Amino acid sequence: MPRRPLIVAVLFGALALTGCTSTPAASPSPTPTTAATAAPSGDGTLLIGTLFPMTGDNAASGAAQVAGTELAVRDILAEQTTPTQPVQLIHRNSAGDLAAAYADLVARGVDLVLWDATTALPADADSTVGNATMVALGDFANGGTPLAADKAFTARLKTADPGLAGTDGGAEAYDGVVTAALAALITGDDGGASLAAGWPQVISGSAVCASWGECVFALAEKQIIDYQGITGVRS
């Protein structure tokens, strides 16, 4: 059953985060080059639609992915001392009426759509989501197979949904949200085109960071980041 939208706050503004307690990235990278940009089109809210299977054979992975996105937003918020801009997650069922789910997300003006890590992205997906950027979470899976969470991350996922029956896809969904938030931070805009421009820059550098807090610290230090998160280096 689809869940109600989750609305929380996340800072995408100034990179000077007074009181940030995160550990700095291990090594600095060279002076950043000019980032690719797109004309700003955001409205100050990073609106993320998800299309995960909430019914059928893959419902367990759908629930894990919903939990992963919600956990990521919670972790982002926990790192902030002065959160100012909201993130909204709108979950829809990829195993139901997919055309209607697409139409609803477009009508709501989502900036990004995260697609299920366990099934292939439909060939016409990019043409169905309006001005949003579509990201297939299978791209985060090492070898193309969603990760089964380890004991520690499973416990964390279950803080978002204690009734989880499986964990496949939860890590990919978590990393998808963090990557989107970092892309918005790098470009200074939450619009779909800006997210698309900023996305590659989240993993383009040599300053490896494994969490939102580490990556924000590195960006504040003018480093070029490589977010590896839960799923590690992209395959």
Side-chain angles (χ1 to χ4, degrees):
M1 178 181 297
R3 300 187 177 195
R4 294 181 299 173
L6 173 69
I7 302 176
V8 296
V10 53
L11 178 65
F12 291 144
L15 288 176
L17 299 181
T18 303
C20 179
T21 59
S22 300
T23 303
S27 59
S29 63
T31 302
T33 56
T34 302
T37 59
S41 60
D43 59 3
T45 296
L46 176 58
L47 186 56
I48 300 175
T50 73
L51 284 167
F52 304 146
M54 298 180 182
T55 56
D57 293 342
N58 292 321
S61 67
Q65 290 175 90
V66 168
T69 60
E70 294 181 355
L71 178 62
V73 170
R74 190 177 73 193
D75 283 355
I76 289 168
L77 179 59
E79 293 284 353
Q80 308 307 323
T81 55
T82 55
T84 59
Q85 290 184 286
V87 173
Q88 184 173 352
L89 298 175
I90 302 177
H91 302 300
R92 291 295 178 262
N93 186 7
S94 65
D97 185 337
L98 189 54
Y102 280 136
D104 182 63
L105 293 178
V106 170
R108 291 172 180 268
V110 298
D111 302 304
L112 174 76
V113 177
L114 298 180
W115 175 259
D116 175 29
T118 64
T119 58
L121 184 68
D124 63 347
D126 287 337
S127 65
T128 63
V129 293
N131 294 322
T133 293
M134 172 73 86
V135 172
L137 291 179
D139 292 344
F140 287 79
N142 292 310
T145 302
L147 296 173
D150 62 19
K151 185 176 180 180
F153 192 64
T154 295
R156 299 196 65 221
L157 283 175
K158 288 189 174 182
T159 65
D161 182 354
L164 285 181
T167 62
D168 288 2
E172 288 81 1
Y174 181 99
D175 282 348
V177 169
V178 174
T179 301
L182 289 169
L185 181 58
I186 287 169
T187 61
D189 181 54
D190 56 80
S194 293
L195 296 178
W199 197 277
Q201 299 172 53
V202 176
I203 57 171
S204 66
S206 59
V208 174
C209 48
S211 70
W212 165 263
E214 286 184 3
C215 290
V216 170
F217 186 96
L219 288 170
E221 294 295 308
K222 308 301 184 184
Q223 298 176 28
I224 304 175
I225 63 171
D226 177 13
Y227 171 65
Q228 296 189 6
I230 306 299
T231 55
V233 179
R234 301 288 180 268
S235 58

